[in-house]
Amino acid sequence: ERMRIDSSGNVGINTNAPGAKLHVSGAIVSEGGSFASAIDTETDAGLIIQKGDYIYSDDNNYLRKLIGQNIGGTLEIGQGGTSLITDITLRPGSSGNIKFFASGGTGEDVIINSAGNVGIGTSSPTRALHVLDATAGSIKLETTTDDFDAYIEFETVDNAAYIGIDDSQNVLKINNTSTLGGASHLAI
């Protein structure tokens, strides 16, 4: 038996016990076609899911949300509140980049290139972190807890140095310890 329609109207292909409206046991191939919504028409649609619906994974015990768009319009990837989804892995290929378009423009706002460099405001980062801003060129480090220092740590195999704000004295310090309130090598 290759196909069955059960008494509930569920269709099973290659299964005699369909558990949903369409239950396929085996690989599914979907070639892009034309799909029309109330306003848009797309000619390369391979799979359409309605807003508010999601694609889930099933390990035969638990269902876990993978991807979908909520009613408010946010695209959601993964599911919080579960230890069953451990990581989300993006693999662009051996020479590809991972690009984020947060501002909605045509150029990426953040890129992780194939060398692992992160670019913010630049599409071609040349260092592990490369920040480009046409107007300010600033980075902000902030702590929201009183009496804690905000600092940058520089570390080699044998040594470490810290540049930051000593919250107790409201001064910029360069030190060899992250406790900037102690003795410093340079205070401004």
mmCIF file of all heavy atoms in Angstrom, residues 94 96-98 111-119 125-130:
data_model
loop_
_atom_site.group_PDB
_atom_site.id
_atom_site.type_symbol
_atom_site.label_atom_id
_atom_site.label_comp_id
_atom_site.label_asym_id
_atom_site.label_seq_id
_atom_site.Cartn_x
_atom_site.Cartn_y
_atom_site.Cartn_z
ATOM 1 N N SER A 94 32.647 27.039 2.801
ATOM 2 C CA SER A 94 34.057 27.287 3.111
ATOM 3 C C SER A 94 34.501 28.711 2.814
ATOM 4 O O SER A 94 35.470 29.185 3.385
ATOM 5 C CB SER A 94 34.938 26.298 2.349
ATOM 6 O OG SER A 94 34.744 26.451 0.960
ATOM 7 N N GLY A 96 32.015 31.371 2.409
ATOM 8 C CA GLY A 96 30.859 32.251 2.557
ATOM 9 C C GLY A 96 30.923 33.096 3.813
ATOM 10 O O GLY A 96 31.786 32.914 4.669
ATOM 11 N N ASN A 97 30.021 34.021 3.918
ATOM 12 C CA ASN A 97 29.907 34.930 5.054
ATOM 13 C C ASN A 97 28.527 34.791 5.685
ATOM 14 O O ASN A 97 27.576 34.375 5.030
ATOM 15 C CB ASN A 97 30.095 36.386 4.614
ATOM 16 C CG ASN A 97 31.423 36.619 3.926
ATOM 17 O OD1 ASN A 97 32.462 36.205 4.411
ATOM 18 N ND2 ASN A 97 31.390 37.275 2.782
ATOM 19 N N ILE A 98 28.420 35.169 6.955
ATOM 20 C CA ILE A 98 27.118 35.276 7.617
ATOM 21 C C ILE A 98 26.811 36.761 7.713
ATOM 22 O O ILE A 98 27.595 37.525 8.270
ATOM 23 C CB ILE A 98 27.141 34.616 9.002
ATOM 24 C CG1 ILE A 98 27.465 33.117 8.866
ATOM 25 C CG2 ILE A 98 25.810 34.818 9.719
ATOM 26 C CD1 ILE A 98 27.702 32.409 10.178
ATOM 27 N N ILE A 111 28.601 41.569 9.799
ATOM 28 C CA ILE A 111 29.035 40.433 8.983
ATOM 29 C C ILE A 111 30.051 39.631 9.778
ATOM 30 O O ILE A 111 30.847 40.187 10.527
ATOM 31 C CB ILE A 111 29.635 40.908 7.636
ATOM 32 C CG1 ILE A 111 29.982 39.718 6.733
ATOM 33 C CG2 ILE A 111 30.857 41.781 7.850
ATOM 34 C CD1 ILE A 111 30.375 40.124 5.320
ATOM 35 N N ILE A 112 29.993 38.325 9.646
ATOM 36 C CA ILE A 112 31.051 37.442 10.121
ATOM 37 C C ILE A 112 31.606 36.799 8.853
ATOM 38 O O ILE A 112 30.911 36.041 8.180
ATOM 39 C CB ILE A 112 30.525 36.369 11.093
ATOM 40 C CG1 ILE A 112 29.812 37.017 12.275
ATOM 41 C CG2 ILE A 112 31.677 35.480 11.572
ATOM 42 C CD1 ILE A 112 29.076 36.041 13.173
ATOM 43 N N ASN A 113 32.841 37.170 8.500
ATOM 44 C CA ASN A 113 33.366 36.682 7.234
ATOM 45 C C ASN A 113 33.967 35.293 7.373
ATOM 46 O O ASN A 113 34.034 34.731 8.465
ATOM 47 C CB ASN A 113 34.340 37.686 6.604
ATOM 48 C CG ASN A 113 35.651 37.828 7.352
ATOM 49 O OD1 ASN A 113 36.009 37.015 8.203
ATOM 50 N ND2 ASN A 113 36.381 38.884 7.035
ATOM 51 N N SER A 114 34.412 34.728 6.262
ATOM 52 C CA SER A 114 34.897 33.350 6.260
ATOM 53 C C SER A 114 36.172 33.178 7.077
ATOM 54 O O SER A 114 36.525 32.058 7.436
ATOM 55 C CB SER A 114 35.125 32.873 4.822
ATOM 56 O OG SER A 114 36.064 33.716 4.174
ATOM 57 N N ALA A 115 36.873 34.271 7.409
ATOM 58 C CA ALA A 115 38.057 34.201 8.276
ATOM 59 C C ALA A 115 37.672 34.274 9.749
ATOM 60 O O ALA A 115 38.526 34.167 10.624
ATOM 61 C CB ALA A 115 39.018 35.341 7.940
ATOM 62 N N GLY A 116 36.372 34.489 10.049
ATOM 63 C CA GLY A 116 35.908 34.596 11.429
ATOM 64 C C GLY A 116 35.940 36.007 11.968
ATOM 65 O O GLY A 116 35.618 36.241 13.129
ATOM 66 N N ASN A 117 36.315 36.983 11.140
ATOM 67 C CA ASN A 117 36.323 38.378 11.574
ATOM 68 C C ASN A 117 34.902 38.931 11.596
ATOM 69 O O ASN A 117 34.101 38.632 10.712
ATOM 70 C CB ASN A 117 37.183 39.229 10.635
ATOM 71 C CG ASN A 117 38.640 38.854 10.682
ATOM 72 O OD1 ASN A 117 39.106 38.266 11.648
ATOM 73 N ND2 ASN A 117 39.374 39.192 9.634
ATOM 74 N N VAL A 118 34.609 39.760 12.605
ATOM 75 C CA VAL A 118 33.291 40.376 12.756
ATOM 76 C C VAL A 118 33.381 41.837 12.334
ATOM 77 O O VAL A 118 34.231 42.575 12.835
ATOM 78 C CB VAL A 118 32.791 40.278 14.216
ATOM 79 C CG1 VAL A 118 31.453 40.994 14.378
ATOM 80 C CG2 VAL A 118 32.681 38.828 14.650
ATOM 81 N N GLY A 119 32.524 42.218 11.426
ATOM 82 C CA GLY A 119 32.470 43.607 10.983
ATOM 83 C C GLY A 119 31.147 44.226 11.368
ATOM 84 O O GLY A 119 30.092 43.674 11.099
ATOM 85 N N PRO A 125 35.665 43.246 7.190
ATOM 86 C CA PRO A 125 36.471 43.393 8.403
ATOM 87 C C PRO A 125 37.869 42.804 8.227
ATOM 88 O O PRO A 125 38.026 41.733 7.648
ATOM 89 C CB PRO A 125 35.679 42.624 9.458
ATOM 90 C CG PRO A 125 34.844 41.654 8.684
ATOM 91 C CD PRO A 125 34.557 42.320 7.371
ATOM 92 N N THR A 126 38.866 43.538 8.723
ATOM 93 C CA THR A 126 40.252 43.098 8.582
ATOM 94 C C THR A 126 40.844 42.612 9.902
ATOM 95 O O THR A 126 41.999 42.191 9.932
ATOM 96 C CB THR A 126 41.123 44.246 8.034
ATOM 97 O OG1 THR A 126 41.022 45.369 8.919
ATOM 98 C CG2 THR A 126 40.664 44.652 6.648
ATOM 99 N N ARG A 127 40.105 42.691 10.985
ATOM 100 C CA ARG A 127 40.555 42.227 12.299
ATOM 101 C C ARG A 127 39.438 41.391 12.925
ATOM 102 O O ARG A 127 38.324 41.333 12.418
ATOM 103 C CB ARG A 127 40.878 43.407 13.226
ATOM 104 C CG ARG A 127 41.964 44.332 12.733
ATOM 105 C CD ARG A 127 43.340 43.653 12.828
ATOM 106 N NE ARG A 127 44.428 44.542 12.508
ATOM 107 C CZ ARG A 127 44.930 44.712 11.282
ATOM 108 N NH1 ARG A 127 44.401 44.075 10.264
ATOM 109 N NH2 ARG A 127 45.947 45.513 11.083
ATOM 110 N N ALA A 128 39.743 40.760 14.074
ATOM 111 C CA ALA A 128 38.746 39.940 14.757
ATOM 112 C C ALA A 128 37.471 40.735 15.018
ATOM 113 O O ALA A 128 36.364 40.219 14.890
ATOM 114 C CB ALA A 128 39.309 39.394 16.059
ATOM 115 N N LEU A 129 37.600 42.018 15.377
ATOM 116 C CA LEU A 129 36.465 42.939 15.513
ATOM 117 C C LEU A 129 36.831 44.228 14.820
ATOM 118 O O LEU A 129 37.831 44.867 15.153
ATOM 119 C CB LEU A 129 36.124 43.205 16.981
ATOM 120 C CG LEU A 129 34.997 44.224 17.224
ATOM 121 C CD1 LEU A 129 33.688 43.747 16.601
ATOM 122 C CD2 LEU A 129 34.822 44.487 18.709
ATOM 123 N N HIS A 130 36.037 44.603 13.841
ATOM 124 C CA HIS A 130 36.273 45.819 13.050
ATOM 125 C C HIS A 130 34.983 46.627 13.063
ATOM 126 O O HIS A 130 33.961 46.180 12.558
ATOM 127 C CB HIS A 130 36.642 45.418 11.619
ATOM 128 C CG HIS A 130 37.024 46.556 10.733
ATOM 129 N ND1 HIS A 130 37.760 46.368 9.597
ATOM 130 C CD2 HIS A 130 36.786 47.890 10.784
ATOM 131 C CE1 HIS A 130 37.961 47.509 8.978
ATOM 132 N NE2 HIS A 130 37.354 48.454 9.687
#
